[in-house]
Amino acid sequence: MPKIMPITVLRDTTEISETCHALNEPIFITKNGYGDMVIMSLEAYEKEFVLADVYRKLAVAEKQISNGEEIDAKEALENLRAKYGF
């Protein structure tokens, strides 16, 4: 369940920092009862960023496959050897 907190909690930076690190997930901040921003620890952000990057790369790969742009593993390894000389 997402953690939702009012904007007034941002006055106590130590408390909000500890909460971010303890939950290790985004905290939704509201202002006047409406969503205003999201905060999270650096560790949680990096985890989300890495996952988003993997999903983007998978989407590109799926598009290449549907367009018939795939190559077999042997050809891929040959291309890598030619590019990096190993």
Side-chain angles (χ1 to χ4, degrees), residues 2 10-11 13 17 20 30 36-37 40 45-46 54-55 59 62 76 78 80:
L10 296 180
R11 291 181 186 145
T13 57
S17 175
C20 283
T30 61
D36 187 49
M37 65 179 110
M40 63 180 76
Y45 173 78
E46 288 173 343
V54 168
Y55 292 140
E62 288 177 350
E78 288 171 359
L80 288 171

Side-chain angles (χ1 to χ4, degrees), residues 26-75:
I27 298 174
F28 298 89
I29 304 296
T30 61
K31 183 177 180 181
N32 298 324
Y34 295 96
D36 187 49
M37 65 179 110
V38 177
I39 60 172
M40 63 180 76
S41 69
L42 183 59
E43 294 84 9
Y45 173 78
E46 288 173 343
K47 181 178 82 173
E48 294 296 321
F49 186 79
V50 167
L51 283 175
D53 187 46
V54 168
Y55 292 140
R56 278 191 295 274
K57 289 177 181 176
L58 285 173
V60 168
E62 288 177 350
K63 187 174 182 179
Q64 289 173 333
I65 289 170
S66 66
N67 291 338
E69 300 174 31
E70 74 271 1
I71 59 174
D72 65 15
K74 185 176 180 180
E75 185 180 346

Side-chain angles (χ1 to χ4, degrees), residues 74-86:
K74 185 176 180 180
E75 185 180 346
L77 288 173
E78 288 171 359
N79 292 343
L80 288 171
R81 286 187 181 107
K83 183 176 182 178
Y84 296 107
F86 63 90

Side-chain angles (χ1 to χ4, degrees), residues 7-21:
I7 199 164
T8 56
V9 300
L10 296 180
R11 291 181 186 145
D12 187 353
T13 57
T14 302
E15 178 190 347
I16 197 72
S17 175
E18 289 172 357
T19 304
C20 283
H21 289 282

